[in-house]
Structure formats: C-alpha cells, structure tokens
Amino acid sequence: MNKLYVIAGAAILVIALYAVFFAQKEFSFDSGLAEINLIWEKQGLKPADLVNPLMVYATEQSNLAELKSGLTSYRNSVQAMPESDDREKIDLLLETELSLVDNALLQKKNFDLIDFFDSSGYDYSVLCNSISKAESLQESLVLQKNSAESFNEKLMAFLESYPAEAEKAGIGSLNLEVNSDEKLSEFESIVSALKVVC
Amino acid sequence: MKKMLLLIALICFLSFVHSEELKEITCSGSGNNYSGVFASNSYCDIPLAQGYLNESKIRVEFEENDYQSQDEFSFDIRVYLMVSGTDLFGKDKIQLDCSSIPFKETLSISPADFHPWFSLSDEVIPYSKNCADDLVELNIKRPSKNQVSFKPESNIQVKIVNDLITKYFVAKFKYLGKALSGNPSYDFFVIVDETPKKIGPEEMIPGTKIKLTLESLKSEAKKAEFKLIDSKDQTAPCLIESVLGKEPGFVSCEWGLIKISWKSSTGLPEEDESGKLKLYFNLEFKPEDSKVVEETPSCEEGATRDCTTSENCSGIQTCENKKWSSCVDVPGDNCPAGNGNGSGEQEIELNDSVLIYYYGDIFGLGKGQVKGFESRDFFQEYCELNPNIDRCKIVLGGTK
C-alpha cells in the first residue's frame, strides 16, 4: 500500500514538474507580445497611435479605458507567472505601455476640457463662469506633462535594456512631447489672472 | 589695441546714429477715449483702467515712412497691448493687428514682426481703423494737403473697449491650453495658394483640377464642410463628417455627379515627414449617360419620341424649347421593378467606370506658417466667425 502511495506521489511530482517546465517553456517574449498585440488590436489601436495627438483625439475614451483594463489584467496574470527573463521583459513592456495609455487618457481629458471652452467662441462669460474647470485643466496639464516624462523615462529604460524587443513591440522610436515648465507656469498665471478679471 | 577700440567706438557711434528712438507724447483723455497729436516717430501710452494689472497699457506708435511722394503720405502705426501686472507678464508686449485680423490672431509668446501699414490719401481721411477685432479703434486725422505743412502730424483718437484685458486673458487661456494639451486642431488644415480652376461636367477630363473650398471647420475639428464650385459659380454643399474617423468616409455632394471620399493609404490620418496631418481627398467624377447629357439638334416644340431610360426601360422624351428633354420612364409599365407609378423623372444612370481620380492634399502647417496668421486655432476661430472672408477659404490643389 505504501509503495502505491510512493508511486502515486512520484507520478504527481513528475506531472507537476513537467507542468512547471512546460509552462515555462511555453511563455516566451514572443507569446507575451502576441497577447499584448491582441489587446491593442481589439481596440483598433497600436502604441504609435497614442503618441499622435490626432489619434488620441479621434479615439474614444471608452476604448482607451478598455485598453488600459486589458493591459492591466494581462499584467496581473504575467506577474503571477514564475519568474523568468521573458516574464520580466513582458512585465516591463506592459508597465511602459500602460504609462502610455495613462498619458493618452489624460490628454483625452484635456482635449475635452479645451473643447468645452472652445465651443464658447468669443463669449468669454463661459470661461469666466467655469473657473473651476479652468483650474482643473491647468492641473491636468501638469499631470499630462509628468505622465509624458514618466513614459519617456520608462521607454528609455526599456530601450536600453531590451532594444530588440522594443523594436519588435513597435515602441522603439516613440517619444511623447513634454511641455516646458515655463509654459505651464504661464498658463497657471493666466488662470490666476482670469480669477481676478472675470 | 587702439584700432580695436576705435572700431568699437565707430560701431557704437553708427548704431547710435541709426537708431531713431521714438519720443513719448501725451495722449489726453479719460476712460476709454484718448487722443494725441503724433509727430513723426512718436508714441504715447494709454493706461488701462483696471483693478488688476495696473501697469498695463496700450501703446500707440506712430512712425513716418522714409518714402514720401508729393501727393501721398504714409506712415506706420503700431498698437501694442502691454501687460505688466505680474513678473511673468512683465515682458509681454503684444502687437495688435490693425488690419482687421482679430485680436486673438495677434497673440503670441513673442510679438510678431508684423507692421500694419497704411497709405492714406486725401480721399480717405479721416481714416478709421478697428484694431484687433474692435478691441481698439483708431481714428486718424491728418492736416489737409492744402496746409502749409504737409508733414506727418497726425491726430489719432484711440478708443479702447472695456473688457480688453479680460478678452486678452481668455484668448490667451485658450491659445495656451490648446498648445499645451497638444490639441490637433492646430495643425489641421492649410491654405494652398492656387488659382482656382472651376470646372463643369464637360471639362471632366483627366488632369482637371477642381476648387474645393473649405466652408467652415468646426471647433472640435471632427467635421469639415466643403463647398464645391463649378464653372458657372454654382455651389453645392458637401459635408464631410468625421474626418478623423478611422474608416474612410464616402459622401455625395449635391452638385452633379461628384462624390468625395477621404482616405489615406492606411485608412488612417497620416502625417508627413514634418509631423503634419495629411489627408487625401478623392473626388470621383462619374459621367452622366451620354445619351442624356448630349444636346440633340433642335426639334419641334411639343413633339415626343421613344427612348430607353438608363434602367433599360421604355421612356418618352418631349421637345421643350427646341431641345429633347431627358428620358422619362413610361408610367405603369412596372419598369424598373417596384416603380409602380412610373411617374417622375428617370434617374440618370451612372457609368460605373471612374473617369478621374483627383487627389487634393490637406495637410497642416505648424504654427506661424500660414500666411497672415500666427496660429492655427486663432485662424480657425476667426474663420468660424467670418466664413465668407476670402482668406478663410481653403483651396485644395495639386494632383498626384
């Protein structure tokens, strides 16, 4: 009887070891990238689209939110996998891409705010009556700047470590434009001035 | 060493000689109305009565032009809004454009090197000019030609609207807000200078160009309305919506047989090498049925004759004004199928073959690259309000 238990235990151990080995062998950078690409394709997007303000403008907020949700969910499952080089690469790639999506979401929010003010044409009472929205835009523009910087830094780090993988993922030459502090300060001053003159 | 010092001294002397400093004069008045008699190369500062930004002012500069003819007297007038309420705005000196471009057009971080220039003759004085979308009004009078002194001594009245400063900040808020968020409406469309060639159906041959005029551009930049102008100056509204949509759109114009679609090779808006938006507009010219279009020799008024409609149905043509009318389907012959009453004019059948593909490029230019406009959004807003102004019309040109 004991022998039977030993044999059964050994069999389970072999199967478990095989499963772990197989799973490790199955997960590669390419297979992870393929999963990521599917998530992007589902929303009709590719990473390069989100460094193009025009495309961000044309993309629905819901698509961006779903994209973020998809990438986050996949990242959680990747992080649950056994550690490996490829898992590390995919995790970093996902972190970088999520940073890009966050930036697009912020940019989209700012576009909407600008459109709100824009629709008033020359009627400045709209802006004067919505100073809190103006402040919100000002704060959000600062966040957008920080977010763009963060993405560029993450991308740079990924590029330095894994240049070939970055090219494969189509993010090798991406770069987000970062607003200068001087311009942001000027905008802040304008909002302050509006509070007084409105 | 001595030579060096001499050279420096010479340069200093020359630059002193050449720099004609403007002399300050006093513009008298109160509230929003001021006036001053300007000698050549003079300026006056008009304080803006505001609780905030107390040092802000309007500066009017008057400068005689070097070239003077006997019967013409010309000078430059420059009007600046100088905002200096905070350290940040300490350097802000904004030239107000007095050539009927709105105030917003002239806002820029660095003042534009644009000098409104007037050439006044006796016939046009006193001269009134609205600067910067009526924010400042200049009334210019100068001594009559008959006076002994035909010298630049001009009386200029300046009228300032109450909310100039508020408008300034609102405009600047929008301008900077758009720029900082990366709003794509900046670089959306461009004026392509090209003499428009107007066409009619008879001119639809390969290589023909057509004038496609931007009627208006919605602020959200998702819609563009176009107007087609044919050779007889007839217009047809065409509305291209969702220009930024992901799938190429296809839209019919009401005029004639032209359809417009926009596309790019990838189906998505493209950017050129400099990052400017490029859209291809594809105009498909489809010929009318030649039997219908072709004018037949004169006929006897009221006469009828059998014909075949474009849907291969029996039809009747009537002679009207010595010309055969278009082929009208015979009523009640159930042809085309489903056309029970058979009344009304037969629709013209279009030949499926596409005669011409015309590609017009609309591509954006960066800020400051469009003639007379410093920024795209200002231009855009300006044109929304003034769609009939010539400079707001966009002409597409070029074939591919």
Side-chain angles (χ1 to χ4, degrees):
Chain A
M1 191 63 179
N2 279 349
K3 224 178 195 179
L4 201 61
Y5 279 125
V6 171
I7 291 167
I12 288 168
L13 191 65
V14 167
I15 290 166
L17 283 172
Y18 178 78
V20 168
F21 175 76
F22 185 76
Q24 276 185 332
K25 204 174 181 184
E26 273 300 291
F27 184 77
S28 62
F29 180 81
D30 285 346
S31 65
L33 182 61
E35 287 289 330
I36 293 171
N37 286 344
L38 277 177
I39 296 166
W40 281 90
E41 281 163 22
K42 202 175 165 188
Q43 304 305 327
L45 292 165
K46 57 184 183 303
D49 291 336
L50 300 193
V51 295
N52 179 352
L54 183 71
M55 284 307 300
V56 175
Y57 194 85
T59 302
E60 295 292 332
Q61 201 269 350
S62 57
N63 288 98
L64 292 172
E66 281 176 36
L67 178 63
K68 182 178 177 176
S69 164
L71 292 173
T72 306
S73 164
Y74 183 57
R75 192 179 181 205
N76 289 339
S77 64
V78 168
Q79 285 176 339
M81 288 177 186
E83 284 188 14
S84 69
D85 281 352
D86 281 349
R87 194 209 77 159
E88 179 67 16
K89 286 178 195 170
I90 288 293
D91 188 39
L92 277 177
L93 177 63
L94 281 162
E95 187 189 350
T96 310
E97 289 190 351
L98 275 165
S99 167
L100 180 63
V101 179
D102 281 336
N103 181 268
L105 280 162
L106 270 172
Q107 194 171 31
K108 184 82 185 159
K109 180 189 167 190
N110 292 339
F111 285 160
D112 289 345
L113 280 167
I114 281 290
D115 277 352
F116 168 79
F117 293 118
D118 219 23
S119 60
S120 59
Y122 280 91
D123 179 10
Y124 58 83
S125 64
V126 174
L127 178 50
C128 282
N129 292 328
S130 313
I131 289 295
S132 60
K133 277 197 175 181
E135 287 176 304
S136 173
L137 175 62
Q138 182 241 318
E139 285 160 13
S140 192
L141 285 170
V142 175
L143 292 177
Q144 186 183 327
K145 181 235 178 195
N146 294 339
S147 158
E149 274 178 342
S150 167
F151 167 75
N152 287 344
E153 281 166 15
K154 282 176 178 154
L155 180 62
M156 191 57 71
F158 190 81
L159 265 171
E160 279 172 7
S161 304
Y162 311 113
E165 285 80 358
E167 285 303 320
K168 220 179 224 183
I171 60 168
S173 56
L174 302 188
N175 182 54
L176 279 174
E177 200 173 319
V178 179
N179 288 315
S180 69
D181 287 333
E182 192 188 0
K183 285 274 167 62
L184 287 167
S185 299
E186 186 174 8
F187 194 72
E188 190 181 352
S189 299
I190 289 166
V191 174
S192 304
L194 277 170
K195 280 195 240 172
V196 178
V197 298
C198 273
Chain B
M1 188 65 182
K2 274 184 183 176
K3 275 182 183 176
M4 195 77 157
L5 284 170
L6 271 173
L7 190 65
I8 291 168
L10 185 67
I11 289 168
C12 289
F13 175 74
L14 284 174
S15 61
F16 175 76
V17 166
H18 279 279
S19 66
E20 290 181 35
E21 272 195 30
L22 295 174
K23 291 169 196 163
E24 183 171 6
I25 62 151
T26 306
C27 280
S28 56
S30 62
N32 298 321
N33 289 296
Y34 287 82
S35 64
V37 178
F38 287 76
S40 181
N41 303 325
S42 60
Y43 75 93
C44 85
D45 284 340
I46 299 168
L48 288 170
Q50 293 279 335
Y52 185 68
L53 306 172
N54 282 327
E55 290 173 33
S56 301
K57 55 199 169 193
I58 293 284
R59 172 166 291 184
V60 181
E61 286 181 5
F62 181 92
E63 198 169 354
E64 183 185 356
N65 282 327
D66 290 339
Y67 173 77
Q68 306 284 343
S69 64
Q70 197 178 355
D71 57 352
E72 198 175 75
F73 163 70
S74 67
F75 49 85
D76 290 333
I77 295 179
R78 299 184 204 101
V79 183
Y80 297 96
L81 168 64
M82 299 174 81
V83 186
S84 53
T86 67
D87 288 343
L88 193 65
F89 294 121
K91 297 171 191 168
D92 231 348
K93 182 181 172 187
I94 294 137
Q95 185 167 347
L96 301 184
D97 188 340
C98 295
S99 57
S100 73
I101 295 175
F103 169 63
K104 297 171 105 185
E105 282 298 331
T106 64
L107 283 178
S108 67
I109 308 304
S110 315
D113 184 23
F114 176 75
H115 305 291
W117 190 87
F118 303 107
S119 178
L120 305 184
S121 64
D122 273 352
E123 287 75 35
V124 294
I125 55 170
Y127 190 86
S128 182
K129 192 75 186 168
N130 288 329
C131 293
D133 199 26
D134 299 341
L135 291 182
V136 173
E137 185 184 310
L138 291 178
N139 285 298
I140 305 157
K141 292 176 187 170
R142 72 166 175 83
S144 164
K145 196 173 163 184
N146 298 327
Q147 279 187 232
V148 179
S149 167
F150 181 60
K151 275 292 162 189
E153 199 173 71
S154 295
N155 187 323
I156 299 177
Q157 294 174 333
V158 184
K159 190 179 169 188
I160 303 157
V161 298
N162 281 326
D163 45 10
L164 177 70
I165 286 283
T166 312
K167 281 195 174 183
Y168 160 74
F169 281 116
V170 170
K172 195 145 186 173
F173 172 87
K174 287 188 188 180
Y175 172 74
L176 262 180
K178 280 185 177 182
L180 291 168
S181 67
N183 192 308
S185 60
Y186 271 104
D187 297 325
F188 199 47
F189 290 102
V190 66
I191 294 174
V192 179
D193 279 326
E194 183 175 288
T195 307
K197 179 173 170 55
K198 299 171 181 174
I199 65 160
E202 71 279 2
E203 295 172 86
M204 290 179 187
I205 52 171
T208 302
K209 293 176 184 176
I210 192 167
K211 180 182 178 182
L212 192 58
T213 305
L214 180 72
E215 187 70 354
S216 68
L217 183 61
K218 302 296 176 192
S219 59
E220 63 270 34
K222 286 179 179 172
K223 283 182 183 175
E225 289 177 17
F226 291 89
K227 187 168 73 177
L228 270 172
I229 301 175
D230 72 6
S231 56
K232 291 165 190 166
D233 270 345
Q234 292 171 324
T235 60
C238 297
L239 176 64
I240 301 179
E241 285 194 65
S242 301
V243 181
L244 300 177
K246 291 177 185 175
E247 297 300 322
F250 201 71
V251 66
S252 293
C253 283
E254 288 176 18
W255 175 66
L257 306 163
I258 295 177
K259 287 186 175 182
I260 300 177
S261 61
W262 77 269
K263 68 175 184 179
S264 63
S265 57
T266 60
L268 293 169
E270 286 179 346
E271 291 183 346
D272 63 13
E273 306 76 37
S274 57
K276 294 161 194 166
L277 175 65
K278 185 185 274 186
L279 291 176
Y280 298 94
F281 281 81
N282 179 16
L283 303 191
E284 295 182 16
F285 297 88
K286 297 192 175 186
E288 290 181 287
D289 186 329
S290 59
K291 287 176 190 171
V292 178
V293 173
E294 193 178 64
E295 288 188 0
T296 51
S298 62
C299 51
E300 200 176 323
E301 198 64 26
T304 58
R305 70 177 187 185
D306 294 335
C307 58
T308 304
T309 71
S310 54
E311 295 193 310
N312 287 325
C313 294
S314 298
I316 296 170
Q317 280 179 292
T318 310
C319 185
E320 294 166 355
N321 299 325
K322 297 188 176 182
K323 287 178 184 174
W324 290 110
S325 67
S326 56
C327 192
V328 179
D329 187 30
V330 174
D333 64 354
N334 201 29
C335 181
N339 184 9
N341 57 21
S343 61
E345 289 226 342
Q346 174 62 45
E347 280 186 14
I348 297 162
E349 184 182 7
L350 303 181
N351 188 329
D352 281 336
S353 66
V354 176
L355 277 188
I356 305 167
Y357 284 94
Y358 170 87
Y359 296 91
D361 285 357
I362 295 182
F363 49 90
L365 276 183
K367 199 167 55 180
Q369 289 178 273
V370 178
K371 283 185 179 175
F373 297 97
E374 287 186 18
S375 68
R376 302 298 312 132
D377 63 329
F378 288 167
F379 168 62
Q380 180 184 320
E381 283 178 23
Y382 177 56
C383 289
E384 279 176 14
L385 290 170
N386 307 285
N388 296 322
I389 291 176
D390 278 339
R391 62 199 310 178
C392 287
K393 292 175 181 172
I394 283 182
V395 180
L396 303 181
T399 53
K400 283 209 165 190

